[in-house]
PDB file of all heavy atoms in Angstrom:
ATOM      1  N   MET A  25      11.697   3.944  19.239  1.00 92.00           N
ATOM      2  CA  MET A  25      11.192   3.881  17.859  1.00 92.00           C
ATOM      3  C   MET A  25      11.046   2.425  17.435  1.00 92.00           C
ATOM      4  O   MET A  25      11.988   1.646  17.572  1.00 92.00           O
ATOM      5  CB  MET A  25      12.156   4.613  16.918  1.00 92.00           C
ATOM      6  CG  MET A  25      11.696   4.670  15.464  1.00 92.00           C
ATOM      7  SD  MET A  25      10.256   5.728  15.228  1.00 92.00           S
ATOM      8  CE  MET A  25      10.964   7.336  15.593  1.00 92.00           C
ATOM      9  N   LEU A  26       9.855   2.064  16.966  1.00 95.00           N
ATOM     10  CA  LEU A  26       9.618   0.692  16.530  1.00 95.00           C
ATOM     11  C   LEU A  26      10.328   0.455  15.208  1.00 95.00           C
ATOM     12  O   LEU A  26      10.027   1.100  14.201  1.00 95.00           O
ATOM     13  CB  LEU A  26       8.117   0.431  16.371  1.00 95.00           C
ATOM     14  CG  LEU A  26       7.726  -1.020  16.047  1.00 95.00           C
ATOM     15  CD1 LEU A  26       8.129  -1.962  17.180  1.00 95.00           C
ATOM     16  CD2 LEU A  26       6.225  -1.129  15.772  1.00 95.00           C
ATOM     17  N   GLU A  27      11.295  -0.445  15.215  1.00 97.00           N
ATOM     18  CA  GLU A  27      12.068  -0.709  14.012  1.00 97.00           C
ATOM     19  C   GLU A  27      11.227  -1.430  12.965  1.00 97.00           C
ATOM     20  O   GLU A  27      10.352  -2.235  13.296  1.00 97.00           O
ATOM     21  CB  GLU A  27      13.296  -1.563  14.351  1.00 97.00           C
ATOM     22  CG  GLU A  27      14.337  -0.848  15.203  1.00 97.00           C
ATOM     23  CD  GLU A  27      15.586  -1.685  15.387  1.00 97.00           C
ATOM     24  OE1 GLU A  27      15.653  -2.788  14.806  1.00 97.00           O
ATOM     25  OE2 GLU A  27      16.488  -1.233  16.116  1.00 97.00           O
ATOM     26  N   GLN A  28      11.525  -1.154  11.706  1.00 98.00           N
ATOM     27  CA  GLN A  28      10.857  -1.868  10.629  1.00 98.00           C
ATOM     28  C   GLN A  28      11.255  -3.338  10.660  1.00 98.00           C
ATOM     29  O   GLN A  28      12.263  -3.721  11.262  1.00 98.00           O
ATOM     30  CB  GLN A  28      11.209  -1.244   9.282  1.00 98.00           C
ATOM     31  CG  GLN A  28      10.659   0.158   9.086  1.00 98.00           C
ATOM     32  CD  GLN A  28      10.860   0.656   7.679  1.00 98.00           C
ATOM     33  OE1 GLN A  28      10.480  -0.011   6.700  1.00 98.00           O
ATOM     34  NE2 GLN A  28      11.433   1.840   7.542  1.00 98.00           N
ATOM     35  N   ALA A  29      10.457  -4.156  10.003  1.00 98.00           N
ATOM     36  CA  ALA A  29      10.696  -5.592   9.991  1.00 98.00           C
ATOM     37  C   ALA A  29      12.013  -5.910   9.300  1.00 98.00           C
ATOM     38  O   ALA A  29      12.424  -5.196   8.375  1.00 98.00           O
ATOM     39  CB  ALA A  29       9.549  -6.306   9.272  1.00 98.00           C
ATOM     40  N   PRO A  30      12.684  -6.984   9.720  1.00 98.00           N
ATOM     41  CA  PRO A  30      13.888  -7.408   8.994  1.00 98.00           C
ATOM     42  C   PRO A  30      13.547  -7.790   7.561  1.00 98.00           C
ATOM     43  O   PRO A  30      12.397  -8.133   7.260  1.00 98.00           O
ATOM     44  CB  PRO A  30      14.388  -8.604   9.804  1.00 98.00           C
ATOM     45  CG  PRO A  30      13.216  -9.063  10.599  1.00 98.00           C
ATOM     46  CD  PRO A  30      12.378  -7.862  10.855  1.00 98.00           C
ATOM     47  N   ASP A  31      14.538  -7.743   6.695  1.00 98.00           N
ATOM     48  CA  ASP A  31      14.310  -7.990   5.271  1.00 98.00           C
ATOM     49  C   ASP A  31      13.617  -9.324   5.016  1.00 98.00           C
ATOM     50  O   ASP A  31      12.814  -9.446   4.078  1.00 98.00           O
ATOM     51  CB  ASP A  31      15.636  -7.952   4.509  1.00 98.00           C
ATOM     52  CG  ASP A  31      16.228  -6.552   4.444  1.00 98.00           C
ATOM     53  OD1 ASP A  31      15.630  -5.626   5.036  1.00 98.00           O
ATOM     54  OD2 ASP A  31      17.282  -6.386   3.803  1.00 98.00           O
ATOM     55  N   THR A  32      13.914 -10.326   5.827  1.00 97.00           N
ATOM     56  CA  THR A  32      13.355 -11.665   5.608  1.00 97.00           C
ATOM     57  C   THR A  32      11.854 -11.726   5.841  1.00 97.00           C
ATOM     58  O   THR A  32      11.207 -12.683   5.424  1.00 97.00           O
ATOM     59  CB  THR A  32      14.046 -12.678   6.525  1.00 97.00           C
ATOM     60  OG1 THR A  32      13.957 -12.214   7.892  1.00 97.00           O
ATOM     61  CG2 THR A  32      15.502 -12.853   6.151  1.00 97.00           C
ATOM     62  N   GLU A  33      11.280 -10.721   6.497  1.00 98.00           N
ATOM     63  CA  GLU A  33       9.846 -10.731   6.807  1.00 98.00           C
ATOM     64  C   GLU A  33       9.023  -9.871   5.854  1.00 98.00           C
ATOM     65  O   GLU A  33       7.797  -9.889   5.925  1.00 98.00           O
ATOM     66  CB  GLU A  33       9.619 -10.263   8.251  1.00 98.00           C
ATOM     67  CG  GLU A  33      10.180 -11.212   9.303  1.00 98.00           C
ATOM     68  CD  GLU A  33       9.851 -10.781  10.717  1.00 98.00           C
ATOM     69  OE1 GLU A  33       9.185  -9.719  10.880  1.00 98.00           O
ATOM     70  OE2 GLU A  33      10.242 -11.482  11.663  1.00 98.00           O
ATOM     71  N   TRP A  34       9.662  -9.141   4.974  1.00 98.00           N
ATOM     72  CA  TRP A  34       8.912  -8.280   4.048  1.00 98.00           C
ATOM     73  C   TRP A  34       8.109  -9.131   3.064  1.00 98.00           C
ATOM     74  O   TRP A  34       8.467 -10.279   2.788  1.00 98.00           O
ATOM     75  CB  TRP A  34       9.877  -7.385   3.273  1.00 98.00           C
ATOM     76  CG  TRP A  34      10.325  -6.157   4.022  1.00 98.00           C
ATOM     77  CD1 TRP A  34      10.962  -6.131   5.228  1.00 98.00           C
ATOM     78  CD2 TRP A  34      10.174  -4.800   3.600  1.00 98.00           C
ATOM     79  NE1 TRP A  34      11.232  -4.840   5.586  1.00 98.00           N
ATOM     80  CE2 TRP A  34      10.768  -3.996   4.608  1.00 98.00           C
ATOM     81  CE3 TRP A  34       9.635  -4.182   2.479  1.00 98.00           C
ATOM     82  CZ2 TRP A  34      10.802  -2.601   4.518  1.00 98.00           C
ATOM     83  CZ3 TRP A  34       9.677  -2.797   2.388  1.00 98.00           C
ATOM     84  CH2 TRP A  34      10.247  -2.019   3.396  1.00 98.00           C
ATOM     85  N   PRO A  35       7.041  -8.587   2.514  1.00 98.00           N
ATOM     86  CA  PRO A  35       6.252  -9.324   1.521  1.00 98.00           C
ATOM     87  C   PRO A  35       7.055  -9.605   0.261  1.00 98.00           C
ATOM     88  O   PRO A  35       8.009  -8.885  -0.057  1.00 98.00           O
ATOM     89  CB  PRO A  35       5.082  -8.372   1.208  1.00 98.00           C
ATOM     90  CG  PRO A  35       5.085  -7.344   2.285  1.00 98.00           C
ATOM     91  CD  PRO A  35       6.489  -7.245   2.787  1.00 98.00           C
ATOM     92  N   GLU A  36       6.646 -10.627  -0.461  1.00 98.00           N
ATOM     93  CA  GLU A  36       7.262 -10.893  -1.763  1.00 98.00           C
ATOM     94  C   GLU A  36       6.901  -9.779  -2.745  1.00 98.00           C
ATOM     95  O   GLU A  36       5.786  -9.256  -2.728  1.00 98.00           O
ATOM     96  CB  GLU A  36       6.767 -12.229  -2.320  1.00 98.00           C
ATOM     97  CG  GLU A  36       7.304 -13.450  -1.633  1.00 98.00           C
ATOM     98  CD  GLU A  36       6.851 -14.703  -2.332  1.00 98.00           C
ATOM     99  OE1 GLU A  36       5.756 -15.202  -2.013  1.00 98.00           O
ATOM    100  OE2 GLU A  36       7.588 -15.183  -3.231  1.00 98.00           O
ATOM    101  N   ALA A  37       7.849  -9.455  -3.602  1.00 98.00           N
ATOM    102  CA  ALA A  37       7.615  -8.432  -4.613  1.00 98.00           C
ATOM    103  C   ALA A  37       8.343  -8.837  -5.888  1.00 98.00           C
ATOM    104  O   ALA A  37       9.393  -9.482  -5.837  1.00 98.00           O
ATOM    105  CB  ALA A  37       8.099  -7.070  -4.128  1.00 98.00           C
ATOM    106  N   TRP A  38       7.781  -8.451  -7.024  1.00 98.00           N
ATOM    107  CA  TRP A  38       8.385  -8.820  -8.313  1.00 98.00           C
ATOM    108  C   TRP A  38       7.977  -7.824  -9.388  1.00 98.00           C
ATOM    109  O   TRP A  38       7.018  -7.063  -9.226  1.00 98.00           O
ATOM    110  CB  TRP A  38       7.955 -10.234  -8.716  1.00 98.00           C
ATOM    111  CG  TRP A  38       6.470 -10.440  -8.754  1.00 98.00           C
ATOM    112  CD1 TRP A  38       5.627 -10.168  -9.795  1.00 98.00           C
ATOM    113  CD2 TRP A  38       5.639 -10.950  -7.701  1.00 98.00           C
ATOM    114  NE1 TRP A  38       4.332 -10.481  -9.462  1.00 98.00           N
ATOM    115  CE2 TRP A  38       4.305 -10.969  -8.187  1.00 98.00           C
ATOM    116  CE3 TRP A  38       5.889 -11.397  -6.402  1.00 98.00           C
ATOM    117  CZ2 TRP A  38       3.241 -11.416  -7.406  1.00 98.00           C
ATOM    118  CZ3 TRP A  38       4.823 -11.839  -5.634  1.00 98.00           C
ATOM    119  CH2 TRP A  38       3.513 -11.845  -6.135  1.00 98.00           C
ATOM    120  N   LEU A  39       8.739  -7.832 -10.493  1.00 98.00           N
ATOM    121  CA  LEU A  39       8.387  -7.006 -11.639  1.00 98.00           C
ATOM    122  C   LEU A  39       7.238  -7.647 -12.403  1.00 98.00           C
ATOM    123  O   LEU A  39       7.240  -8.856 -12.652  1.00 98.00           O
ATOM    124  CB  LEU A  39       9.581  -6.847 -12.575  1.00 98.00           C
ATOM    125  CG  LEU A  39      10.736  -5.948 -12.120  1.00 98.00           C
ATOM    126  CD1 LEU A  39      11.794  -5.882 -13.226  1.00 98.00           C
ATOM    127  CD2 LEU A  39      10.251  -4.546 -11.761  1.00 98.00           C
ATOM    128  N   MET A  40       6.288  -6.825 -12.803  1.00 98.00           N
ATOM    129  CA  MET A  40       5.195  -7.295 -13.635  1.00 98.00           C
ATOM    130  C   MET A  40       5.603  -7.238 -15.104  1.00 98.00           C
ATOM    131  O   MET A  40       6.483  -6.457 -15.481  1.00 98.00           O
ATOM    132  CB  MET A  40       3.951  -6.444 -13.396  1.00 98.00           C
ATOM    133  CG  MET A  40       3.432  -6.492 -11.974  1.00 98.00           C
ATOM    134  SD  MET A  40       1.935  -5.482 -11.736  1.00 98.00           S
ATOM    135  CE  MET A  40       0.728  -6.446 -12.673  1.00 98.00           C
ATOM    136  N   PRO A  41       4.972  -8.039 -15.951  1.00 98.00           N
ATOM    137  CA  PRO A  41       5.260  -7.944 -17.394  1.00 98.00           C
ATOM    138  C   PRO A  41       4.906  -6.558 -17.927  1.00 98.00           C
ATOM    139  O   PRO A  41       4.026  -5.875 -17.398  1.00 98.00           O
ATOM    140  CB  PRO A  41       4.353  -9.027 -18.001  1.00 98.00           C
ATOM    141  CG  PRO A  41       4.071  -9.969 -16.878  1.00 98.00           C
ATOM    142  CD  PRO A  41       4.025  -9.122 -15.640  1.00 98.00           C
ATOM    143  N   ASP A  42       5.601  -6.145 -18.980  1.00 96.00           N
ATOM    144  CA  ASP A  42       5.287  -4.874 -19.619  1.00 96.00           C
ATOM    145  C   ASP A  42       3.919  -4.951 -20.299  1.00 96.00           C
ATOM    146  O   ASP A  42       3.430  -6.031 -20.623  1.00 96.00           O
ATOM    147  CB  ASP A  42       6.357  -4.524 -20.652  1.00 96.00           C
ATOM    148  CG  ASP A  42       7.715  -4.247 -20.005  1.00 96.00           C
ATOM    149  OD1 ASP A  42       7.733  -3.769 -18.857  1.00 96.00           O
ATOM    150  OD2 ASP A  42       8.740  -4.524 -20.664  1.00 96.00           O
ATOM    151  N   GLY A  43       3.339  -3.808 -20.530  1.00 95.00           N
ATOM    152  CA  GLY A  43       2.061  -3.764 -21.230  1.00 95.00           C
ATOM    153  C   GLY A  43       0.881  -3.744 -20.279  1.00 95.00           C
ATOM    154  O   GLY A  43       1.023  -3.683 -19.053  1.00 95.00           O
ATOM    155  N   GLU A  44      -0.313  -3.808 -20.850  1.00 94.00           N
ATOM    156  CA  GLU A  44      -1.544  -3.765 -20.072  1.00 94.00           C
ATOM    157  C   GLU A  44      -1.699  -5.028 -19.225  1.00 94.00           C
ATOM    158  O   GLU A  44      -1.283  -6.118 -19.632  1.00 94.00           O
ATOM    159  CB  GLU A  44      -2.756  -3.620 -20.993  1.00 94.00           C
ATOM    160  CG  GLU A  44      -2.843  -2.285 -21.717  1.00 94.00           C
ATOM    161  CD  GLU A  44      -3.037  -1.125 -20.760  1.00 94.00           C
ATOM    162  OE1 GLU A  44      -3.813  -1.277 -19.785  1.00 94.00           O
ATOM    163  OE2 GLU A  44      -2.399  -0.074 -20.967  1.00 94.00           O
ATOM    164  N   CYS A  45      -2.307  -4.854 -18.065  1.00 96.00           N
ATOM    165  CA  CYS A  45      -2.583  -5.986 -17.171  1.00 96.00           C
ATOM    166  C   CYS A  45      -4.006  -6.462 -17.432  1.00 96.00           C
ATOM    167  O   CYS A  45      -4.977  -5.791 -17.079  1.00 96.00           O
ATOM    168  CB  CYS A  45      -2.416  -5.557 -15.719  1.00 96.00           C
ATOM    169  SG  CYS A  45      -2.745  -6.864 -14.521  1.00 96.00           S
ATOM    170  N   SER A  46      -4.145  -7.634 -18.040  1.00 94.00           N
ATOM    171  CA  SER A  46      -5.470  -8.133 -18.410  1.00 94.00           C
ATOM    172  C   SER A  46      -6.169  -8.856 -17.265  1.00 94.00           C
ATOM    173  O   SER A  46      -7.386  -9.001 -17.269  1.00 94.00           O
ATOM    174  CB  SER A  46      -5.356  -9.074 -19.616  1.00 94.00           C
ATOM    175  OG  SER A  46      -4.518 -10.174 -19.315  1.00 94.00           O
ATOM    176  N   ASP A  47      -5.407  -9.328 -16.287  1.00 97.00           N
ATOM    177  CA  ASP A  47      -5.973 -10.033 -15.133  1.00 97.00           C
ATOM    178  C   ASP A  47      -5.397  -9.414 -13.860  1.00 97.00           C
ATOM    179  O   ASP A  47      -4.372  -9.851 -13.354  1.00 97.00           O
ATOM    180  CB  ASP A  47      -5.634 -11.530 -15.210  1.00 97.00           C
ATOM    181  CG  ASP A  47      -6.133 -12.308 -13.999  1.00 97.00           C
ATOM    182  OD1 ASP A  47      -6.978 -11.770 -13.242  1.00 97.00           O
ATOM    183  OD2 ASP A  47      -5.676 -13.449 -13.793  1.00 97.00           O
ATOM    184  N   GLN A  48      -6.060  -8.394 -13.358  1.00 98.00           N
ATOM    185  CA  GLN A  48      -5.482  -7.640 -12.251  1.00 98.00           C
ATOM    186  C   GLN A  48      -5.315  -8.461 -10.983  1.00 98.00           C
ATOM    187  O   GLN A  48      -4.465  -8.147 -10.138  1.00 98.00           O
ATOM    188  CB  GLN A  48      -6.331  -6.395 -11.954  1.00 98.00           C
ATOM    189  CG  GLN A  48      -7.693  -6.670 -11.326  1.00 98.00           C
ATOM    190  CD  GLN A  48      -8.471  -5.385 -11.077  1.00 98.00           C
ATOM    191  OE1 GLN A  48      -8.859  -4.705 -12.033  1.00 98.00           O
ATOM    192  NE2 GLN A  48      -8.687  -5.038  -9.821  1.00 98.00           N
ATOM    193  N   LYS A  49      -6.089  -9.543 -10.818  1.00 98.00           N
ATOM    194  CA  LYS A  49      -6.027 -10.335  -9.593  1.00 98.00           C
ATOM    195  C   LYS A  49      -5.001 -11.468  -9.652  1.00 98.00           C
ATOM    196  O   LYS A  49      -4.749 -12.126  -8.648  1.00 98.00           O
ATOM    197  CB  LYS A  49      -7.407 -10.925  -9.280  1.00 98.00           C
ATOM    198  CG  LYS A  49      -8.501  -9.885  -9.085  1.00 98.00           C
ATOM    199  CD  LYS A  49      -9.843 -10.547  -8.862  1.00 98.00           C
ATOM    200  CE  LYS A  49     -10.970  -9.536  -8.796  1.00 98.00           C
ATOM    201  NZ  LYS A  49     -12.288 -10.200  -8.619  1.00 98.00           N
ATOM    202  N   GLY A  50      -4.407 -11.706 -10.819  1.00 98.00           N
ATOM    203  CA  GLY A  50      -3.433 -12.780 -10.973  1.00 98.00           C
ATOM    204  C   GLY A  50      -2.049 -12.365 -10.487  1.00 98.00           C
ATOM    205  O   GLY A  50      -1.786 -11.199 -10.198  1.00 98.00           O
ATOM    206  N   LEU A  51      -1.130 -13.323 -10.418  1.00 98.00           N
ATOM    207  CA  LEU A  51       0.224 -13.034  -9.954  1.00 98.00           C
ATOM    208  C   LEU A  51       0.951 -12.074 -10.894  1.00 98.00           C
ATOM    209  O   LEU A  51       1.695 -11.210 -10.457  1.00 98.00           O
ATOM    210  CB  LEU A  51       1.030 -14.324  -9.818  1.00 98.00           C
ATOM    211  CG  LEU A  51       0.631 -15.261  -8.680  1.00 98.00           C
ATOM    212  CD1 LEU A  51       1.470 -16.539  -8.740  1.00 98.00           C
ATOM    213  CD2 LEU A  51       0.797 -14.579  -7.328  1.00 98.00           C
ATOM    214  N   ASN A  52       0.757 -12.249 -12.188  1.00 98.00           N
ATOM    215  CA  ASN A  52       1.395 -11.385 -13.191  1.00 98.00           C
ATOM    216  C   ASN A  52       2.905 -11.306 -12.985  1.00 98.00           C
ATOM    217  O   ASN A  52       3.487 -10.220 -12.852  1.00 98.00           O
ATOM    218  CB  ASN A  52       0.775  -9.979 -13.150  1.00 98.00           C
ATOM    219  CG  ASN A  52      -0.627  -9.950 -13.720  1.00 98.00           C
ATOM    220  OD1 ASN A  52      -0.821 -10.013 -14.927  1.00 98.00           O
ATOM    221  ND2 ASN A  52      -1.619  -9.892 -12.836  1.00 98.00           N
ATOM    222  N   GLN A  53       3.544 -12.460 -12.971  1.00 98.00           N
ATOM    223  CA  GLN A  53       4.999 -12.524 -12.880  1.00 98.00           C
ATOM    224  C   GLN A  53       5.599 -12.693 -14.271  1.00 98.00           C
ATOM    225  O   GLN A  53       4.970 -13.236 -15.168  1.00 98.00           O
ATOM    226  CB  GLN A  53       5.433 -13.690 -11.989  1.00 98.00           C
ATOM    227  CG  GLN A  53       5.034 -13.526 -10.536  1.00 98.00           C
ATOM    228  CD  GLN A  53       5.440 -14.705  -9.679  1.00 98.00           C
ATOM    229  OE1 GLN A  53       5.553 -15.825 -10.177  1.00 98.00           O
ATOM    230  NE2 GLN A  53       5.645 -14.478  -8.396  1.00 98.00           N
ATOM    231  N   ARG A  54       6.820 -12.215 -14.419  1.00 98.00           N
ATOM    232  CA  ARG A  54       7.536 -12.437 -15.664  1.00 98.00           C
ATOM    233  C   ARG A  54       8.053 -13.875 -15.705  1.00 98.00           C
ATOM    234  O   ARG A  54       8.101 -14.562 -14.686  1.00 98.00           O
ATOM    235  CB  ARG A  54       8.703 -11.453 -15.779  1.00 98.00           C
ATOM    236  CG  ARG A  54       8.253  -9.994 -15.809  1.00 98.00           C
ATOM    237  CD  ARG A  54       9.393  -9.051 -16.126  1.00 98.00           C
ATOM    238  NE  ARG A  54       8.919  -7.666 -16.190  1.00 98.00           N
ATOM    239  CZ  ARG A  54       9.640  -6.653 -16.647  1.00 98.00           C
ATOM    240  NH1 ARG A  54      10.892  -6.863 -17.072  1.00 98.00           N
ATOM    241  NH2 ARG A  54       9.139  -5.439 -16.678  1.00 98.00           N
TER     242      ARG A  54
END
Side-chain angles (χ1 to χ4, degrees):
M25 183 69 67
L26 186 63
E27 292 186 3
Q28 293 188 53
D31 291 3
T32 54
E33 294 184 359
W34 279 58
E36 288 185 273
W38 55 85
L39 288 182
M40 299 181 70
D42 294 330
E44 293 296 320
C45 179
S46 60
D47 177 15
Q48 71 180 66
K49 300 177 185 178
L51 290 176
N52 288 285
Q53 294 179 333
R54 298 188 178 191

